[in-house]
Amino acid sequence: MAPAATAMNEVLVWRGALVIVGGILVHLTLGTLYCAGNLNPYVASYIHFRGAPASFKLTDMTWTSSAGIVGQGCSMYFGGVLERRIGPRFTTLLGGLTLSVGVALSYFSIKEYWGGFLLTYGFVFGVGMGLGYTSPFVAAGRFFPTKTGLVNGLVVAGFGCGAFVFDQVQTKYINPHGDKPACQGPNKGYFTEDSLLDRVPSVFLVLAGCYVAMQLLGCALIRNPSGFVHARVGKKLAGDDEEGRVPLVDAPGAPAKIQRPPRQAAQTADFWLIWAMFGLNGLATVFFSSLWKAMGENYLPSVPDASWAAAGSVASLFNASGRIVWGGIADTVGVKKSIVAHCTLSCILFFTLYLIRDAGYPVFFTWICALFFCIGGNFSLFPTATAHAFGKESFGANYGCIFTSQAVAGVVGGLLSSDLVRRAVVPHHATNGTTAAPAGPHGFGVPPSAAPCPTGAEHRDDYLPALMTVGACTALAMVLSVVFLFRGGSTMLPFEPLAARRLAKPAGRVN
C-alpha cells in the first residue's frame, strides 16, 4: 500500500476512534435509564410522604422505566430519519438536550404530581434517548464498516456504564449517611429521614447539569467520514433492482451492497423475528432493571444501602462489557448463533434467580451482574442483526422500527410488573405478635437505622410468580432465536409481489 494511502487510513482510524469516544460520552448520559433501580426507592419515598397522589405505592415506580422505554421506542425511528437529514452531530445533540431538559424539569414535577414526574423523567427522557441513540454508532460504523458488532458494542457500552457513574452520584448526594429504608410496618421499603427527602428534588438539577456538559463534549467529536453521502434520499433511484433495493455507497469508491429500506424490511419474516425476540427480552429488562434493588432489600434486609448502590455500579460495568463482548462474539461466530446463546443464558438466569434468594449477598450480587451482562447484549446483538439483515444505508430508520418492540414491552412490562409485584407484596404491620414501634419522624415508627429488621419468611414478599412469568418470556425468545438461526435469510413474505410492483413503477410516472 502506498504511503499516502497508509497515512489516510491512519487518519480515518483516529477520526473514527474519536467518534466512538464522543458516542460513549453521550451514551453515558442516555444510559442513566438504568439508574432507575437505584433511584426509584428515593423518588418513591419522596412522593409517598410529600407528593401526590395519596394512593401512590413503591411498585408504581416500574412505570418510570416503562414510560422512558415507550418514549424511546416512539422517537427512535425519527432519530434515524433526522440523522439522514441533518447529520449525526446535530441529531445526537437534539436528543441529548431533550433528555436533559426532561431531567431538569423533574425538579419541579416531582413536587407536584406523580403523573408530571412520569412525563418529564419518563416519557420526555425516553424521547430524548430515542432521538440521540443510534446516530453515534451509525457514524462510528461508517469509519469501521467491517466491525459492525464491535463498534456498536463499544459505543453502547457507554449506555451500560451510565449507572456505574451516576448510581454513585445519586447515592452520595441523596443518602450520604447510608440511611436504610424501613423494613417493617406500613412504611416498609420507604426512606423516612427528612434530610434525605429534602435532597431528592435537587438531585435532578445536578444530574441535568452533568448531562449537558458531557453531551456538548461528546457531540463535538461526532461526525461522518469526509466525503460521505447517503445513497438514498427517500425515493426510488436509478440502480434499484426489481425489488426496489438500493446499492449503498459508504464513501467514494466503496463497493455497492444490497439494502432494504424500512418499508421492505417490515415485509420480511426476519424483521418480525428480530422484533419479537427484542420485545420479549425487553419485557424482562423493564422488570429487572426497575426492581432488582427492591427484591434484594426484600430478601436480604440486613445489607446496607451503600452495598446495593455498589452492586448497581458494578452491574452496570457488566452491562457495558456485555455489549462489547456480545458484539465481538457476533463478529466472530455470527450474530444468529450469538443470539441463541444469549437468549439461552438469559432464560437460565431468570428461572434460577428465585432459587438463590437465600444464598447470601455474594451469590445474589453475582446473578445481578450476570443478568445485566445479558441485558447489555440485547443492545449490541439486535442492532447488529438489523444491520446484517437489511443493510447499513437505512440502518437508523430500520432499527428505529425494530425498537418499537421496546415501546410495546414498556407498556406491557409496566402493566405486568405492577400487577405481579402487587400480588407479591404481602401486608406488613407493626403488630405481628409483637409490640408496636414508637413513633418516628413521620408518626410511623422509629427510623429504620434503629429498628430491627425481621428476617422470617412471613415478613418477605413473594416474587416467584413474577420471576417465572419473566422467565417464560425469555424462554419464548430462546425458541424464536432457534427459528431465526435456521432461516435462510431475509426473504420477503408472501405479499412481496404486490410491494415489488408498487415500487417498480415505470420511469417518469408521476405519483
Side-chain angles (χ1 to χ4, degrees), residues 231-258:
R232 191 177 185 93
V233 293
K235 60 183 179 180
K236 186 174 182 290
L237 303 177
D240 284 16
D241 66 13
E242 68 279 0
E243 293 183 351
R245 293 177 293 186
V246 186
L248 168 67
V249 181
D250 279 319
K257 301 177 183 179
I258 299 300

Side-chain angles (χ1 to χ4, degrees), residues 24 71 96 103 221 225 259 272 286 316 392 428 436 461 495 507:
I24 290 172
V103 174
L221 301 175
Q259 307 297 314
W272 294 106
V286 169
S316 72
K392 296 179 183 178
H428 295 271
D461 304 326
F495 49 86

Side-chain angles (χ1 to χ4, degrees), residues 191-280:
F191 291 89
T192 61
E193 288 72 15
D194 287 322
S195 59
L196 183 152
L197 298 176
D198 289 339
R199 290 187 288 268
V200 172
S202 57
V203 74
F204 295 105
L205 297 179
V206 174
L207 295 174
C210 295
Y211 296 168
V212 169
M214 295 171 68
Q215 288 159 0
L216 291 174
L217 178 58
C219 288
L221 301 175
I222 294 173
R223 56 174 294 175
N224 277 324
S226 299
F228 173 83
V229 292
H230 280 292
R232 191 177 185 93
V233 293
K235 60 183 179 180
K236 186 174 182 290
L237 303 177
D240 284 16
D241 66 13
E242 68 279 0
E243 293 183 351
R245 293 177 293 186
V246 186
L248 168 67
V249 181
D250 279 319
K257 301 177 183 179
I258 299 300
Q259 307 297 314
R260 289 193 191 277
R263 181 167 59 176
Q264 294 173 45
Q267 296 170 23
T268 66
D270 277 359
F271 177 93
W272 294 106
L273 281 170
I274 296 170
W275 190 95
M277 290 185 291
F278 199 16
L280 288 166

Side-chain angles (χ1 to χ4, degrees), residues 97-109:
L97 293 180
T98 300
L99 180 148
S100 298
V101 168
V103 174
L105 290 176
S106 299
Y107 169 79
F108 303 99
S109 62

Side-chain angles (χ1 to χ4, degrees), residues 16-41:
L18 288 176
V19 173
I20 291 175
V21 172
I24 290 172
L25 282 172
V26 173
H27 270 253
L28 278 169
T29 67
L30 307 185
T32 52
L33 172 73
Y34 289 116
C35 290
N38 182 66
L39 187 62
N40 282 353

Side-chain angles (χ1 to χ4, degrees), residues 306-353:
S307 295
W308 291 119
S313 293
V314 175
S316 72
L317 292 180
F318 279 83
N319 187 337
S321 64
R323 297 163 191 250
I324 299 171
V325 172
W326 285 111
I329 292 173
D331 285 339
T332 303
V333 305
V335 68
K336 292 187 174 184
K337 293 178 182 177
S338 301
I339 290 176
V340 172
H342 169 269
C343 291
T344 302
L345 180 58
S346 298
C347 180
I348 292 170
L349 289 169
F350 272 112
F351 273 120
T352 55
L353 180 60

